[in-house]
Amino acid sequence: MLGLLILLFAAAAWTQTPRLAGKPWARYTIDRSSRGADGVKLIDVNTDGRPDVVTGWEEGGVIRVYFNPSRVDSRSEWRQVTVGKVRSPEDAVFVDLDGDLAFDVVSSCEGNERALFVHWAPKDPDLYWEEQSWKTEVIPASRGLMQWMFAMPMQVDGKHGTDLIAGGKGPNAALGWWEAPERARDLASWRWHSLRPMGWTMSILPADMDGDRDLDILFSDRRGERSGVYWLENPGHGPAESRPWKEHLVGSAGREVMLLDRADVDNDGRMDVLVAVKPSDIHIHYNGSNSGDKWRSESISLPALTGTAKSVRLLDVNQDGKPDVVYSAGQTPAGASGIVWLDLADRSLHDVSGPEGVKYDYLELIDLDGDQDLDVLTTEEAKGLGVVWYENPARR
């Protein structure tokens, strides 16, 4: 009798095992011809109203720009150009550094390369998609300084061209900014200003956190004694520039925080902060003041239906007027889904990617098929899916 009861209990437990709701979204490939696609950034390089994509392929060692085609053709592989070749690129971002109205690309390299590179775009738009028209140069002072993880464009000092906020990981890592010289192409004249030691930079987001109409720096630090989500307060231009950037804690102190998002979760008019936190948590930090110094935090632990935390984005997936969270995993066990979405209203977890991929990265939300809902654009690094997007089924 006891054995029968054990069997009945085991059967009941099996039938109650949680499962992902819904079916995987349709996946479309933009490019899978290299190795180790590692994150995407967007900007409309040709002013046709459709954001284009840049990606660094970490193992393949190439930086590529992808032309966003018409919505009718978005399900096919996209036109591409290799804008440069470097070792161990961790990230790539669009920025017009020299002000010639052609978007260049800056790549951040870790590993043994440990340098920032500028991939100069040709000024002639007819040559933008020709590989031989691009020129790659290193920022000399960046070489060997640290393993570089991310760089983001931001005007810091109010003079010359666009500056760069950048951060790294490992020994001597820091978060700081590169001061643009009068002539941006004189890369030897770019000056580094360190703002804060870092264990492992995971996110850098220029944002006005205190409502004073200048850009501060919101960031996540994954490792070390000061891990967590913070923001650095911009001291302003002129004499104020010599003052230190005051550090403010948002939340998740002491946790292994990954990629973050900034969005108004509770519809109170203030921008909140969401962050993916290992092992498989989502932290939502609700902004309680316009000055960015009061935060209320909520932690959501996901069941073992996906992998370890990598990225989160806020999105009303099913268009019911209520916020949802799309989540990607950096390591996904066999049979689990690397991208899922969470209904914040009822806490149900829904499938997006299915079990094919293993190592996903930052999620971009963009309408790629013209049906007025946002699809999910990302990269998968370990199983060779490459640069892909998933079609939101809300309006099928």
Side-chain angles (χ1 to χ4, degrees):
M1 177 63 70
L2 178 61
L4 178 59
L5 288 175
I6 292 174
L7 288 174
L8 288 173
F9 177 80
W14 175 259
T15 59
Q16 293 172 11
T17 299
R19 297 179 182 275
L20 290 175
K23 297 179 179 179
W25 297 7
R27 183 182 77 235
Y28 301 98
T29 299
I30 293 174
D31 181 24
R32 60 180 305 175
S33 62
S34 188
R35 295 177 296 114
D38 202 359
V40 291
K41 295 290 193 306
L42 305 180
I43 212 162
D44 184 2
V45 301
N46 56 355
T47 65
D48 65 354
R50 297 189 295 271
D52 304 295
V53 178
V54 65
T55 298
W57 294 77
E58 187 171 1
E59 285 74 36
V62 295
I63 309 298
R64 285 187 178 149
V65 172
Y66 301 94
F67 171 73
N68 189 339
S70 71
R71 293 177 172 88
V72 175
D73 299 325
S74 60
R75 294 178 177 86
S76 303
E77 292 195 2
W78 295 11
R79 182 183 181 186
Q80 62 175 259
V81 57
T82 298
V83 305
K85 297 179 181 179
V86 294
R87 294 181 301 167
S88 304
E90 176 62 28
D91 188 62
V93 64
F94 289 113
V95 51
D96 179 9
L97 279 185
D98 54 1
D100 64 355
L101 303 182
F103 282 103
D104 313 300
V105 173
V106 173
S107 61
S108 304
C109 297
E110 53 169 342
N112 294 322
E113 188 69 89
R114 303 187 180 206
L116 295 175
F117 290 87
V118 179
H119 311 280
W120 298 108
K123 185 174 182 179
D124 185 346
D126 293 333
L127 301 178
Y128 198 88
W129 301 99
E130 295 185 8
E131 181 176 341
Q132 64 271 19
S133 298
W134 288 75
K135 181 180 181 181
T136 296
E137 294 182 315
V138 68
I139 298 178
S142 73
R143 190 178 287 282
L145 199 60
M146 68 186 80
Q147 295 188 70
W148 295 98
M149 292 294 291
F150 295 99
M152 290 292 287
M154 174 174 157
Q155 177 52 258
V156 178
D157 56 6
K159 59 185 180 182
H160 307 319
T162 302
D163 308 301
L164 293 171
I165 306 296
K169 73 173 185 180
N172 304 314
L175 176 68
W177 64 283
W178 287 95
E179 179 184 347
E182 184 176 0
R183 294 185 300 111
R185 283 184 175 258
D186 179 13
L187 295 181
S189 295
W190 283 71
R191 294 179 55 208
W192 171 246
H193 302 269
S194 181
L195 297 177
R196 179 201 194 264
M198 295 289 282
W200 188 327
T201 306
M202 284 304 298
S203 295
I204 299 174
L205 182 61
D208 182 4
M209 299 294 293
D210 52 5
D212 64 356
R213 299 185 180 181
D214 62 19
L215 291 177
D216 310 297
I217 303 172
L218 175 65
F219 65 94
S220 56
D221 189 355
R222 177 178 176 179
R223 294 278 174 85
E225 296 180 357
R226 296 163 70 187
S227 67
V229 179
Y230 299 84
W231 65 276
L232 295 179
E233 183 177 345
N234 191 334
H237 299 159
E241 282 183 57
S242 61
R243 297 202 305 262
W245 293 53
K246 183 179 179 181
E247 181 174 298
H248 303 261
L249 173 66
V250 174
S252 306
R255 295 295 303 274
E256 189 172 0
V257 293
M258 305 298 283
L259 299 172
L260 60 77
D261 189 20
R262 184 170 181 257
D264 186 358
V265 180
D266 52 4
N267 198 32
D268 66 353
R270 290 189 291 263
M271 298 296 281
D272 309 305
V273 176
L274 305 89
V275 63
V277 182
K278 282 195 167 184
S280 55
D281 297 342
I282 297 170
H283 286 188
I284 303 176
H285 302 296
Y286 296 95
N287 189 353
S289 72
N290 293 328
S291 59
D293 58 0
K294 294 181 180 179
W295 300 88
R296 174 178 60 86
S297 300
E298 176 185 9
S299 178
I300 303 170
S301 295
L302 300 186
L305 299 171
T306 183
T308 57
K310 187 61 177 286
S311 176
V312 288
R313 297 297 306 275
L314 190 73
L315 170 66
D316 181 4
V317 174
N318 53 1
Q319 299 187 330
D320 63 355
K322 300 175 183 178
D324 309 304
V325 177
V326 185
Y327 168 103
S328 70
Q331 294 94 28
T332 308
S337 291
I339 305 177
V340 296
W341 69 272
L342 174 71
D343 189 321
L344 287 178
D346 63 12
R347 300 301 168 94
S348 59
L349 202 61
H350 303 250
D351 205 350
V352 172
S353 68
E356 290 85 359
V358 171
K359 188 177 181 182
Y360 290 93
D361 207 89
Y362 183 71
L363 304 168
E364 282 285 6
L365 309 177
I366 176 175
D367 181 8
L368 289 172
D369 52 3
D371 63 357
Q372 307 302 310
D373 61 24
L374 296 178
D375 308 300
V376 173
L377 169 67
T378 189
T379 55
E380 196 283 324
E381 187 174 352
K383 286 295 183 180
L385 300 186
V387 187
V388 295
W389 67 276
Y390 294 86
E391 182 181 358
N392 188 337
R395 294 213 173 190
R396 277 183 191 164

